[in-house]
C-alpha cells in the first residue's frame, strides 16, 4: 500500500502548479501562459513525418544501429509521461481539461531529444461531463490518436504498442492520485472507466487494462505486468522492465 498523502495536501489546490507536492514533488509542472520558452516545439509539427523523425533523431543517436521500433517506442514513453501527468492531475484534482491537443501544446525536449516538459497556453477549461470519452477526448483524440498513427507508420510498429505505453502511464498516475484528499470522485470514476472498459463509444478501447495484476502461484505478493512489451529489450543498453509481459525474456530471446 502506498503511503497516504501528507497533511499539507489537505488544502484544495487551485492551480496546476499547486498540485505538484508530496508524491508529485519530484516532477516539474508545465509552464503556463505567456510566450513559449526558447527551445519549445509545437507538437503539431509532428503531423509531418519528416519533422517527427527529426525530433526523434537526437534520441536515436544514442543507440547507433539500434532497432528503430524500440528506440521510437522508448521516445514515445518520455512524451506520454510528460502529457499524462498534468492531464490526470488537472482532471482528478482540479476538474479541468488542459489544452494538450497536438495542435495546441508545445513540448520541451532535452538535449537528447526526450520530451521532459510542456508549455500550455492556459490552465484548462472546467469540465462539466462525467463521460470518459468526452472528458479525455482532448488528450486521446486530439493528441495520442493522430500521433500514434504517425509513429506507427514511421517505424512499422503496431499502434497497440504505443497505446500500451500511453496507457501504462495513465494507469499509474490515476492510481497514484486515487487517495489524494482533493481528488474529484466523478473524474476518478471516469478515468477508471477509461482503463476498465473493453469498449468506449461502441468501439474497441485501446487503453483497456494496460497493466494487469496477478499473484504468482505459491506467493503472497501481488505483481503487475504490462499487457504489451515496450520492446526496450531489443536495445543492448537496457534490460527488460520489471513488469515485462514476456516471461523469461532475456538476451537469448533477442536472437
Amino acid at each position: 500500500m502506498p503511503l497516504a498523502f501528507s497533511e499539507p495536501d489537505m488544502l484544495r489546490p487551485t492551480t496546476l502548479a499547486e498540485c505538484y507536492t508530496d508524491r508529485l514533488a519530484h516532477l516539474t509542472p508545465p509552464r503556463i501562459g505567456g510566450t513559449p520558452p526558447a527551445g519549445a516545439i509545437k507538437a503539431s509539427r509532428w503531423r509531418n513525418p519528416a519533422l517527427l523523425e527529426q525530433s526523434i533523431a537526437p534520441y536515436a543517436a544514442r543507440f547507433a544501429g539500434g532497432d528503430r521500433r524500440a528506440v521510437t517506442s522508448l521516445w514515445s514513453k518520455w512524451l506520454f509521461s510528460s502529457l499524462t501527468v498534468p492531464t490526470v492531475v488537472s482532471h482528478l484534482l482540479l476538474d479541468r481539461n488542459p489544452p494538450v491537443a497536438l495542435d495546441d501544446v508545445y513540448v520541451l525536449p532535452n538535449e537528447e531529444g526526450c520530451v521532459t516538459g510542456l508549455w500550455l497556453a492556459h490552465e484548462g477549461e472546467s469540465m462539466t461531463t462525467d463521460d470518459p470519452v468526452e472528458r479525455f477526448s482532448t488528450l486521446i483524440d486530439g493528441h495520442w490518436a493522430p500521433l500514434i498513427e504517425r509513429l506507427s507508420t514511421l517505424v512499422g510498429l503496431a499502434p497497440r504498442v504505443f497505446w500500451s505505453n500511453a496507457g501504462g502511464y495513465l494507469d499509474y498516475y490515476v492510481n497514484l492520485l486515487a487517495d489524494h484528499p482533493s481528488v474529484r470522485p466523478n473524474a476518478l470514476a471516469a478515468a477508471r472507466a477509461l482503463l476498465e472498459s473493453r469498449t468506449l463509444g461502441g468501439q474497441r478501447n485501446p487503453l483497456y487494462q494496460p497493466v494487469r495484476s496477478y499473484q504468482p502461484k505459491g506467493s503472497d505478493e501481488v505483481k503487475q505486468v504490462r499487457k504489451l512489451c515496450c520492446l526496450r529489450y531489443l536495445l543492448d543498453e537496457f534490460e527488460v522492465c520489471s513488469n515485462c509481459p514476456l516471461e523469461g525474456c532475456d538476451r537469448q530471446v533477442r536472437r
Side-chain angles (χ1 to χ4, degrees):
M1 289 289 292
L3 296 176
F5 280 91
S6 58
E7 189 67 23
D9 286 330
M10 293 300 291
L11 296 175
R12 185 178 291 277
T14 59
T15 67
L16 193 52
E18 290 174 357
C19 297
Y20 281 68
T21 61
D22 208 282
R23 283 181 244 164
L24 299 175
H26 65 290
L27 301 173
T28 302
R31 303 188 188 190
I32 308 291
T35 303
I41 297 173
K42 193 167 186 180
S44 60
R45 77 195 306 264
W46 293 335
R47 294 185 183 277
N48 182 322
L51 295 179
L52 176 58
E53 190 163 22
Q54 185 181 92
S55 288
I56 300 172
Y59 185 66
R62 289 182 51 190
F63 311 100
D67 191 292
R68 289 183 69 224
R69 298 168 303 167
V71 169
T72 305
S73 173
L74 294 189
W75 180 88
S76 78
K77 292 176 74 173
W78 284 88
L79 171 65
F80 293 147
S81 175
S82 295
L83 284 167
T84 302
V85 179
T87 301
V88 171
V89 169
S90 293
H91 279 273
L92 268 59
L93 304 187
L94 302 172
D95 228 1
R96 291 180 187 158
N97 183 32
V100 293
L102 200 63
D103 294 326
D104 298 324
V105 67
Y106 282 74
V107 300
L108 304 174
N110 63 15
E111 293 180 356
E112 295 182 331
C114 302
V115 176
T116 57
L118 304 178
W119 176 87
L120 304 178
H122 52 82
E123 288 269 353
E125 300 175 351
S126 296
M127 295 300 299
T128 58
T129 178
D130 296 335
D131 180 86
V133 176
E134 293 181 24
R135 176 175 274 275
F136 291 98
S137 65
T138 299
L139 175 66
I140 296 172
D141 299 324
H143 196 129
W144 283 353
L147 180 62
I148 286 173
E149 180 183 357
R150 295 294 189 278
L151 290 170
S152 176
T153 301
L154 187 67
V155 295
L157 183 60
R160 61 193 185 124
V161 174
F162 294 110
W163 282 110
S164 177
N165 289 346
Y169 288 112
L170 187 64
D171 178 88
Y172 178 79
Y173 286 106
V174 167
N175 286 318
L176 181 72
L177 293 173
D179 65 341
H180 194 287
S182 295
V183 72
R184 309 294 179 105
N186 60 322
L188 178 60
R192 283 183 163 159
L194 195 62
L195 294 164
E196 296 170 3
S197 302
R198 287 183 179 274
T199 60
L200 289 172
Q203 299 183 352
R204 184 184 69 85
N205 177 16
L207 296 168
Y208 173 63
Q209 290 188 351
V211 179
R212 298 171 180 176
S213 299
Y214 74 102
Q215 190 169 351
K217 188 175 181 180
S219 173
D220 294 330
E221 183 182 3
V222 175
K223 293 188 176 182
Q224 291 189 320
V225 62
R226 288 168 55 99
K227 183 163 62 176
L228 292 174
C229 175
C230 69
L231 302 186
R232 65 178 256 168
Y233 76 91
L234 293 174
L235 299 173
D236 290 336
E237 291 81 356
F238 294 105
E239 298 297 330
V240 297
C241 299
S242 59
N243 60 354
C244 181
L246 300 182
E247 187 175 358
C249 180
D250 55 27
R251 292 187 183 275
Q252 292 301 315
V253 176
R254 306 176 196 192
R255 301 182 178 91

PDB file of all heavy atoms in Angstrom, residues 4 24 36 52 57-58 73 87-88 114 119 132 143 149 155-156 167 171 184 194 207 229 235-236:
ATOM      1  N   ALA A   4      -0.109   7.377   2.534  1.00  0.00           N
ATOM      2  CA  ALA A   4      -1.168   8.362   2.307  1.00  0.00           C
ATOM      3  C   ALA A   4      -0.545   9.719   2.027  1.00  0.00           C
ATOM      4  O   ALA A   4       0.588   9.994   2.403  1.00  0.00           O
ATOM      5  CB  ALA A   4      -2.078   8.436   3.521  1.00  0.00           C
ATOM      6  N   LEU A  24       4.139  14.045  -5.991  1.00  0.00           N
ATOM      7  CA  LEU A  24       4.409  14.659  -7.294  1.00  0.00           C
ATOM      8  C   LEU A  24       5.500  15.722  -7.208  1.00  0.00           C
ATOM      9  O   LEU A  24       5.812  16.364  -8.208  1.00  0.00           O
ATOM     10  CB  LEU A  24       3.136  15.286  -7.856  1.00  0.00           C
ATOM     11  CG  LEU A  24       1.948  14.358  -8.110  1.00  0.00           C
ATOM     12  CD1 LEU A  24       0.739  15.171  -8.552  1.00  0.00           C
ATOM     13  CD2 LEU A  24       2.297  13.306  -9.153  1.00  0.00           C
ATOM     14  N   PRO A  36       5.846  30.915 -25.369  1.00  0.00           N
ATOM     15  CA  PRO A  36       6.531  29.628 -25.242  1.00  0.00           C
ATOM     16  C   PRO A  36       8.029  29.830 -25.059  1.00  0.00           C
ATOM     17  O   PRO A  36       8.629  30.683 -25.724  1.00  0.00           O
ATOM     18  CB  PRO A  36       6.218  28.930 -26.572  1.00  0.00           C
ATOM     19  CG  PRO A  36       4.927  29.544 -27.024  1.00  0.00           C
ATOM     20  CD  PRO A  36       5.003  30.969 -26.573  1.00  0.00           C
ATOM     21  N   LEU A  52       8.641  14.738 -37.579  1.00  0.00           N
ATOM     22  CA  LEU A  52       8.552  13.819 -36.450  1.00  0.00           C
ATOM     23  C   LEU A  52       9.857  13.034 -36.319  1.00  0.00           C
ATOM     24  O   LEU A  52      10.419  12.900 -35.232  1.00  0.00           O
ATOM     25  CB  LEU A  52       7.371  12.870 -36.643  1.00  0.00           C
ATOM     26  CG  LEU A  52       7.194  11.777 -35.584  1.00  0.00           C
ATOM     27  CD1 LEU A  52       7.034  12.362 -34.198  1.00  0.00           C
ATOM     28  CD2 LEU A  52       5.992  10.896 -35.937  1.00  0.00           C
ATOM     29  N   ALA A  57      15.365  11.963 -33.868  1.00  0.00           N
ATOM     30  CA  ALA A  57      16.753  11.701 -34.262  1.00  0.00           C
ATOM     31  C   ALA A  57      17.776  11.884 -33.140  1.00  0.00           C
ATOM     32  O   ALA A  57      18.671  11.042 -32.986  1.00  0.00           O
ATOM     33  CB  ALA A  57      17.112  12.563 -35.473  1.00  0.00           C
ATOM     34  N   PRO A  58      17.717  12.962 -32.327  1.00  0.00           N
ATOM     35  CA  PRO A  58      18.726  13.098 -31.269  1.00  0.00           C
ATOM     36  C   PRO A  58      18.686  11.948 -30.265  1.00  0.00           C
ATOM     37  O   PRO A  58      19.739  11.516 -29.777  1.00  0.00           O
ATOM     38  CB  PRO A  58      18.348  14.432 -30.605  1.00  0.00           C
ATOM     39  CG  PRO A  58      17.612  15.187 -31.653  1.00  0.00           C
ATOM     40  CD  PRO A  58      16.842  14.151 -32.407  1.00  0.00           C
ATOM     41  N   SER A  73       9.637   3.552 -29.614  1.00  0.00           N
ATOM     42  CA  SER A  73       8.768   3.194 -28.504  1.00  0.00           C
ATOM     43  C   SER A  73       9.217   3.880 -27.223  1.00  0.00           C
ATOM     44  O   SER A  73       8.399   4.459 -26.488  1.00  0.00           O
ATOM     45  CB  SER A  73       8.754   1.674 -28.320  1.00  0.00           C
ATOM     46  OG  SER A  73       8.041   1.306 -27.155  1.00  0.00           O
ATOM     47  N   THR A  87      -2.293  16.139 -17.351  1.00  0.00           N
ATOM     48  CA  THR A  87      -3.675  15.883 -17.740  1.00  0.00           C
ATOM     49  C   THR A  87      -4.431  15.181 -16.627  1.00  0.00           C
ATOM     50  O   THR A  87      -5.546  15.586 -16.255  1.00  0.00           O
ATOM     51  CB  THR A  87      -3.726  15.031 -19.022  1.00  0.00           C
ATOM     52  OG1 THR A  87      -3.047  15.713 -20.083  1.00  0.00           O
ATOM     53  CG2 THR A  87      -5.158  14.773 -19.443  1.00  0.00           C
ATOM     54  N   VAL A  88      -3.856  14.134 -16.071  1.00  0.00           N
ATOM     55  CA  VAL A  88      -4.514  13.405 -14.980  1.00  0.00           C
ATOM     56  C   VAL A  88      -4.646  14.287 -13.742  1.00  0.00           C
ATOM     57  O   VAL A  88      -5.697  14.314 -13.087  1.00  0.00           O
ATOM     58  CB  VAL A  88      -3.730  12.119 -14.645  1.00  0.00           C
ATOM     59  CG1 VAL A  88      -4.275  11.470 -13.384  1.00  0.00           C
ATOM     60  CG2 VAL A  88      -3.808  11.128 -15.811  1.00  0.00           C
ATOM     61  N   CYS A 114      14.527  13.973 -25.754  1.00  0.00           N
ATOM     62  CA  CYS A 114      13.429  13.413 -24.950  1.00  0.00           C
ATOM     63  C   CYS A 114      12.529  14.536 -24.445  1.00  0.00           C
ATOM     64  O   CYS A 114      13.018  15.550 -23.924  1.00  0.00           O
ATOM     65  CB  CYS A 114      13.969  12.639 -23.750  1.00  0.00           C
ATOM     66  SG  CYS A 114      15.071  11.288 -24.177  1.00  0.00           S
ATOM     67  N   TRP A 119       4.609  23.292 -22.428  1.00  0.00           N
ATOM     68  CA  TRP A 119       4.106  24.651 -22.279  1.00  0.00           C
ATOM     69  C   TRP A 119       2.643  24.629 -22.680  1.00  0.00           C
ATOM     70  O   TRP A 119       2.277  24.133 -23.754  1.00  0.00           O
ATOM     71  CB  TRP A 119       4.865  25.629 -23.183  1.00  0.00           C
ATOM     72  CG  TRP A 119       4.309  27.032 -23.123  1.00  0.00           C
ATOM     73  CD1 TRP A 119       4.636  28.013 -22.247  1.00  0.00           C
ATOM     74  CD2 TRP A 119       3.292  27.601 -23.976  1.00  0.00           C
ATOM     75  NE1 TRP A 119       3.902  29.151 -22.488  1.00  0.00           N
ATOM     76  CE2 TRP A 119       3.068  28.926 -23.548  1.00  0.00           C
ATOM     77  CE3 TRP A 119       2.550  27.101 -25.050  1.00  0.00           C
ATOM     78  CZ2 TRP A 119       2.139  29.764 -24.169  1.00  0.00           C
ATOM     79  CZ3 TRP A 119       1.628  27.927 -25.661  1.00  0.00           C
ATOM     80  CH2 TRP A 119       1.428  29.248 -25.234  1.00  0.00           C
ATOM     81  N   PRO A 132     -16.339   9.349 -19.867  1.00  0.00           N
ATOM     82  CA  PRO A 132     -14.892   9.219 -20.036  1.00  0.00           C
ATOM     83  C   PRO A 132     -14.408   9.564 -21.436  1.00  0.00           C
ATOM     84  O   PRO A 132     -13.304  10.099 -21.601  1.00  0.00           O
ATOM     85  CB  PRO A 132     -14.614   7.749 -19.688  1.00  0.00           C
ATOM     86  CG  PRO A 132     -15.920   7.051 -19.833  1.00  0.00           C
ATOM     87  CD  PRO A 132     -16.957   8.062 -19.468  1.00  0.00           C
ATOM     88  N   HIS A 143      -4.539  14.255 -29.366  1.00  0.00           N
ATOM     89  CA  HIS A 143      -3.072  14.130 -29.375  1.00  0.00           C
ATOM     90  C   HIS A 143      -2.618  12.692 -29.610  1.00  0.00           C
ATOM     91  O   HIS A 143      -1.933  12.395 -30.577  1.00  0.00           O
ATOM     92  CB  HIS A 143      -2.489  14.638 -28.055  1.00  0.00           C
ATOM     93  CG  HIS A 143      -1.016  14.907 -28.129  1.00  0.00           C
ATOM     94  ND1 HIS A 143      -0.449  16.090 -27.712  1.00  0.00           N
ATOM     95  CD2 HIS A 143       0.021  14.150 -28.585  1.00  0.00           C
ATOM     96  CE1 HIS A 143       0.860  16.051 -27.917  1.00  0.00           C
ATOM     97  NE2 HIS A 143       1.174  14.866 -28.438  1.00  0.00           N
ATOM     98  N   GLU A 149      -0.718   7.169 -34.810  1.00  0.00           N
ATOM     99  CA  GLU A 149      -0.827   6.770 -36.216  1.00  0.00           C
ATOM    100  C   GLU A 149       0.454   7.117 -36.970  1.00  0.00           C
ATOM    101  O   GLU A 149       0.967   6.316 -37.761  1.00  0.00           O
ATOM    102  CB  GLU A 149      -2.025   7.471 -36.862  1.00  0.00           C
ATOM    103  CG  GLU A 149      -2.210   7.106 -38.323  1.00  0.00           C
ATOM    104  CD  GLU A 149      -3.365   7.859 -38.975  1.00  0.00           C
ATOM    105  OE1 GLU A 149      -4.056   8.619 -38.268  1.00  0.00           O
ATOM    106  OE2 GLU A 149      -3.560   7.684 -40.194  1.00  0.00           O
ATOM    107  N   VAL A 155       7.743   3.764 -38.262  1.00  0.00           N
ATOM    108  CA  VAL A 155       8.696   2.682 -37.981  1.00  0.00           C
ATOM    109  C   VAL A 155       8.119   1.290 -38.174  1.00  0.00           C
ATOM    110  O   VAL A 155       8.784   0.293 -37.895  1.00  0.00           O
ATOM    111  CB  VAL A 155       9.269   2.810 -36.553  1.00  0.00           C
ATOM    112  CG1 VAL A 155      10.086   4.074 -36.432  1.00  0.00           C
ATOM    113  CG2 VAL A 155       8.163   2.772 -35.504  1.00  0.00           C
ATOM    114  N   GLY A 156       6.870   1.192 -38.629  1.00  0.00           N
ATOM    115  CA  GLY A 156       6.285  -0.111 -38.880  1.00  0.00           C
ATOM    116  C   GLY A 156       6.010  -0.909 -37.620  1.00  0.00           C
ATOM    117  O   GLY A 156       6.170  -2.140 -37.615  1.00  0.00           O
ATOM    118  N   GLY A 167      -1.093   4.057 -22.077  1.00  0.00           N
ATOM    119  CA  GLY A 167      -1.996   3.561 -21.050  1.00  0.00           C
ATOM    120  C   GLY A 167      -1.294   3.204 -19.756  1.00  0.00           C
ATOM    121  O   GLY A 167      -1.870   3.334 -18.667  1.00  0.00           O
ATOM    122  N   ASP A 171      -2.606   4.586 -16.231  1.00  0.00           N
ATOM    123  CA  ASP A 171      -2.936   3.687 -15.135  1.00  0.00           C
ATOM    124  C   ASP A 171      -2.159   4.056 -13.876  1.00  0.00           C
ATOM    125  O   ASP A 171      -2.723   4.116 -12.767  1.00  0.00           O
ATOM    126  CB  ASP A 171      -2.625   2.246 -15.549  1.00  0.00           C
ATOM    127  CG  ASP A 171      -2.899   1.241 -14.456  1.00  0.00           C
ATOM    128  OD1 ASP A 171      -4.050   0.757 -14.358  1.00  0.00           O
ATOM    129  OD2 ASP A 171      -1.964   0.922 -13.673  1.00  0.00           O
ATOM    130  N   ARG A 184     -11.352  14.450  -7.236  1.00  0.00           N
ATOM    131  CA  ARG A 184     -12.760  14.624  -7.592  1.00  0.00           C
ATOM    132  C   ARG A 184     -13.333  13.253  -7.938  1.00  0.00           C
ATOM    133  O   ARG A 184     -12.898  12.629  -8.920  1.00  0.00           O
ATOM    134  CB  ARG A 184     -12.893  15.566  -8.790  1.00  0.00           C
ATOM    135  CG  ARG A 184     -12.140  16.895  -8.648  1.00  0.00           C
ATOM    136  CD  ARG A 184     -12.692  17.780  -7.553  1.00  0.00           C
ATOM    137  NE  ARG A 184     -11.951  19.014  -7.421  1.00  0.00           N
ATOM    138  CZ  ARG A 184     -12.381  20.203  -7.844  1.00  0.00           C
ATOM    139  NH1 ARG A 184     -13.554  20.306  -8.457  1.00  0.00           N
ATOM    140  NH2 ARG A 184     -11.648  21.288  -7.669  1.00  0.00           N
ATOM    141  N   LEU A 194     -12.187   4.557 -18.169  1.00  0.00           N
ATOM    142  CA  LEU A 194     -11.353   4.603 -19.360  1.00  0.00           C
ATOM    143  C   LEU A 194     -10.384   3.423 -19.403  1.00  0.00           C
ATOM    144  O   LEU A 194     -10.046   2.916 -20.470  1.00  0.00           O
ATOM    145  CB  LEU A 194     -10.572   5.920 -19.376  1.00  0.00           C
ATOM    146  CG  LEU A 194      -9.912   6.354 -20.676  1.00  0.00           C
ATOM    147  CD1 LEU A 194     -10.938   6.571 -21.764  1.00  0.00           C
ATOM    148  CD2 LEU A 194      -9.109   7.627 -20.450  1.00  0.00           C
ATOM    149  N   LEU A 207      -7.035   1.510 -24.612  1.00  0.00           N
ATOM    150  CA  LEU A 207      -6.445   1.743 -23.293  1.00  0.00           C
ATOM    151  C   LEU A 207      -6.948   0.748 -22.248  1.00  0.00           C
ATOM    152  O   LEU A 207      -6.676   0.899 -21.067  1.00  0.00           O
ATOM    153  CB  LEU A 207      -6.753   3.170 -22.825  1.00  0.00           C
ATOM    154  CG  LEU A 207      -6.146   4.278 -23.680  1.00  0.00           C
ATOM    155  CD1 LEU A 207      -6.748   5.631 -23.316  1.00  0.00           C
ATOM    156  CD2 LEU A 207      -4.632   4.320 -23.524  1.00  0.00           C
ATOM    157  N   CYS A 229       4.658  -5.615 -24.406  1.00  0.00           N
ATOM    158  CA  CYS A 229       6.058  -5.246 -24.208  1.00  0.00           C
ATOM    159  C   CYS A 229       6.364  -3.940 -24.933  1.00  0.00           C
ATOM    160  O   CYS A 229       5.873  -3.701 -26.040  1.00  0.00           O
ATOM    161  CB  CYS A 229       6.952  -6.369 -24.726  1.00  0.00           C
ATOM    162  SG  CYS A 229       8.718  -6.001 -24.688  1.00  0.00           S
ATOM    163  N   LEU A 235      17.210  -3.360 -27.334  1.00  0.00           N
ATOM    164  CA  LEU A 235      18.373  -2.483 -27.304  1.00  0.00           C
ATOM    165  C   LEU A 235      19.365  -3.004 -26.265  1.00  0.00           C
ATOM    166  O   LEU A 235      18.994  -3.274 -25.117  1.00  0.00           O
ATOM    167  CB  LEU A 235      17.946  -1.048 -26.947  1.00  0.00           C
ATOM    168  CG  LEU A 235      16.974  -0.388 -27.934  1.00  0.00           C
ATOM    169  CD1 LEU A 235      16.490   0.953 -27.391  1.00  0.00           C
ATOM    170  CD2 LEU A 235      17.629  -0.206 -29.306  1.00  0.00           C
ATOM    171  N   ASP A 236      20.615  -3.133 -26.665  1.00  0.00           N
ATOM    172  CA  ASP A 236      21.630  -3.701 -25.783  1.00  0.00           C
ATOM    173  C   ASP A 236      21.836  -2.886 -24.512  1.00  0.00           C
ATOM    174  O   ASP A 236      22.312  -3.411 -23.502  1.00  0.00           O
ATOM    175  CB  ASP A 236      22.967  -3.814 -26.529  1.00  0.00           C
ATOM    176  CG  ASP A 236      22.941  -4.881 -27.608  1.00  0.00           C
ATOM    177  OD1 ASP A 236      22.125  -5.813 -27.500  1.00  0.00           O
ATOM    178  OD2 ASP A 236      23.728  -4.776 -28.562  1.00  0.00           O
TER     179      ASP A 236
END
